[in-house]
Amino acid sequence: VAKIDFFYEFASTYSYPAAMRIDDLALDYDVEVNWRPFLLGPIFKAQGWETSPFNIYPDKGRYMIRDLERLCEALGLPPFKMPKTFPAHSILPARVALCFTGEMRAAFTRETYNAAFAHGADISDAKVIEKVLKGLGEAAAKIFEKVNTQPVKDALRAETEAAQKLKIFGAPAFVTEDGELFWGNDRLEAAMEWAARD
Amino acid sequence: VAKIDFFYEFASTYSYPAAMRIDDLALDYDVEVNWRPFLLGPIFKAQGWETSPFNIYPDKGRYMIRDLERLCEALGLPPFKMPKTFPAHSILPARVALCFTGEMRAAFTRETYNAAFAHGADISDAKVIEKVLKGLGEAAAKIFEKVNTQPVKDALRAETEAAQKLKIFGAPAFVTEDGELFWGNDRLEAAMEWAARD
């Protein structure tokens, strides 16, 4: 079965609809999704950005919120809600996600995005993540024991470096097995089509 | 009949597929298109950019070319060809476009984009624009008499200022009669849908 790498950043607004849509599309196209959380911060820093481009360019930022409102409505998602702090520090949820594999990682990711962009919660807050974990029926304490250990830290660093090596400059990004890169929620269908035709 | 403003910049790669697609979509949605060439340069300068973001961020620039190659193939357009000088100085074609109205403006625009991104021609070169005009059966000399007159210069400045007032920060952009802004070739369908539902 064809595979696709789904690179996402927990602070990224456009990664949110992609995370909500990708599993249905993967079924349609018969493609297997590898969920790969990474950090955009180091990549933005290398581009000379200290924050999100949506903060650096206010017209773009205002437009993004309106665009997400329209997108969420069209997709039947809850009304889009911008968190007070944007972009969120996403190291905690990214590390937690890497403590899971397979469907649990996908479920944790979706619930965390829901907390961030349907409820405006601060996903850098351990209490918010704990609540998400409890909702998934996980022994939250167990995950929190693991989350700041060296292997988990190293895993996240490795994913961010992998993204950099693939020339990823934004999120979400999709990479097919033959190395084709697609950027943005708007390219999810094109990426699936490419992956499936291999 | 519902109307939509189509703001485009002759140097903008993603304005090209939008220009090639918009008339067919306008027919489908029964929407009237107002073709409005403008200059992104002053808007980018106000954001602190001296050139295209695709030059400032090389990974993004390389991705854009690949993305356009895929897009053009999917749309049945000729193979995408990047002009040697990018972004092109687009004052000349923008002024020429404003010398036309209606279908002639649309036809001139499409042919100029075709010269730029299917043939890689330099659309700041008067000879290239003259050739486009001749292909349209126009008395090119007549247009060139008008193109650098004050009313035409003022018209282009006014369109660029109108775009700024509408908070347009990139091209293509679509604005419906109720002031809803959509950015990018990827949003053309959503813009049409919005315009048609008024």
Side-chain angles (χ1 to χ4, degrees):
Chain A
V1 61
K3 290 185 184 67
I4 201 163
D5 282 345
F6 168 34
F7 282 90
Y8 57 98
E9 151 66 78
F10 278 98
S12 152
T13 50
Y14 286 102
S15 294
Y16 161 48
M20 296 316 197
R21 302 193 309 121
I22 198 165
D23 272 0
D24 281 352
L25 278 164
L27 267 179
D28 292 347
Y29 284 94
D30 194 24
V31 166
E32 200 179 286
V33 178
N34 189 12
W35 292 62
R36 302 185 68 174
F38 75 112
L39 299 180
L40 261 180
I43 291 171
F44 280 178
K45 272 208 183 98
Q47 289 180 180
W49 295 345
E50 291 298 320
T51 180
S52 160
F54 297 118
N55 291 339
I56 301 173
Y57 309 108
D59 283 343
K60 206 168 197 165
R62 274 184 292 268
Y63 173 79
M64 179 204 67
I65 292 174
R66 185 71 189 121
D67 194 42
L68 263 302
E69 287 171 355
R70 292 186 308 227
L71 265 179
C72 289
E73 200 194 331
L75 294 170
L77 293 170
F80 180 74
K81 195 165 173 187
M82 201 59 178
K84 266 176 216 147
T85 303
F86 177 82
H89 288 284
S90 50
I91 289 182
L92 174 63
R95 285 186 186 160
V96 170
L98 288 172
C99 294
F100 293 116
T101 57
E103 179 46 34
M104 275 306 292
R105 183 183 292 176
F108 169 77
T109 299
R110 280 188 298 261
E111 290 305 317
T112 303
Y113 277 126
N114 185 259
F117 298 119
H119 299 278
D122 178 3
I123 57 167
S124 73
D125 183 345
K127 283 192 197 98
V128 169
I129 298 302
E130 207 176 345
K131 206 179 146 191
V132 168
L133 288 167
K134 276 186 184 156
L136 293 170
E138 278 298 304
K142 265 196 171 170
I143 291 291
F144 278 112
E145 272 167 33
K146 259 177 84 177
V147 77
N148 290 320
T149 59
Q150 204 55 45
V152 177
K153 288 179 182 179
D154 290 347
L156 180 55
R157 194 166 299 121
E159 288 300 78
T160 301
E161 284 169 6
Q164 275 170 312
K165 263 184 208 137
L166 290 164
K167 307 284 182 196
I168 288 173
F169 55 86
F174 315 99
V175 183
T176 60
E177 288 175 277
D178 58 349
E180 196 76 14
L181 170 65
F182 295 83
W183 173 49
N185 173 59
D186 293 327
R187 288 291 175 279
L188 180 47
E189 284 82 355
M192 284 289 174
E193 212 160 300
W194 192 282
R197 85 181 186 186
D198 280 345
Chain B
V1 59
K3 291 185 183 66
I4 201 163
D5 281 345
F6 168 34
F7 282 91
Y8 57 97
E9 151 67 79
F10 277 99
S12 151
T13 50
Y14 286 102
S15 294
Y16 161 49
M20 296 318 199
R21 301 193 310 121
I22 198 167
D23 272 0
D24 280 351
L25 279 163
L27 268 180
D28 292 346
Y29 284 93
D30 194 23
V31 165
E32 201 179 284
V33 179
N34 190 11
W35 292 62
R36 302 184 69 174
F38 76 112
L39 298 180
L40 262 180
I43 292 172
F44 280 178
K45 272 208 181 97
Q47 288 179 183
W49 295 343
E50 291 297 321
T51 181
S52 162
F54 298 117
N55 290 339
I56 301 173
Y57 308 109
D59 283 344
K60 208 169 196 164
R62 273 184 291 267
Y63 172 80
M64 180 204 68
I65 293 174
R66 184 73 189 121
D67 194 43
L68 262 302
E69 286 172 354
R70 291 185 309 228
L71 266 179
C72 289
E73 199 193 333
L75 294 170
L77 293 171
F80 181 75
K81 194 165 175 188
M82 201 60 178
K84 264 175 216 149
T85 303
F86 177 82
H89 288 284
S90 51
I91 290 184
L92 174 63
R95 285 186 185 160
V96 170
L98 287 171
C99 294
F100 293 116
T101 56
E103 178 46 35
M104 273 307 292
R105 184 183 293 175
F108 169 76
T109 300
R110 281 189 298 262
E111 289 305 317
T112 303
Y113 277 127
N114 184 258
F117 298 119
H119 297 279
D122 177 3
I123 57 168
S124 74
D125 183 343
K127 283 193 199 101
V128 169
I129 298 302
E130 206 177 344
K131 203 178 149 191
V132 168
L133 288 167
K134 277 186 185 157
L136 293 169
E138 279 298 301
K142 266 196 170 173
I143 291 291
F144 278 113
E145 271 166 34
K146 258 178 84 179
V147 78
N148 288 319
T149 61
Q150 203 56 45
V152 177
K153 288 181 183 178
D154 290 347
L156 180 56
R157 195 168 297 122
E159 287 300 79
T160 300
E161 283 169 9
Q164 274 169 314
K165 263 183 206 136
L166 290 164
K167 306 286 182 196
I168 288 173
F169 54 86
F174 315 98
V175 183
T176 60
E177 288 176 276
D178 59 349
E180 196 76 13
L181 170 65
F182 295 83
W183 172 51
N185 172 60
D186 294 327
R187 287 291 174 279
L188 179 47
E189 284 81 356
M192 284 290 173
E193 213 161 298
W194 192 282
R197 86 182 185 186
D198 281 343

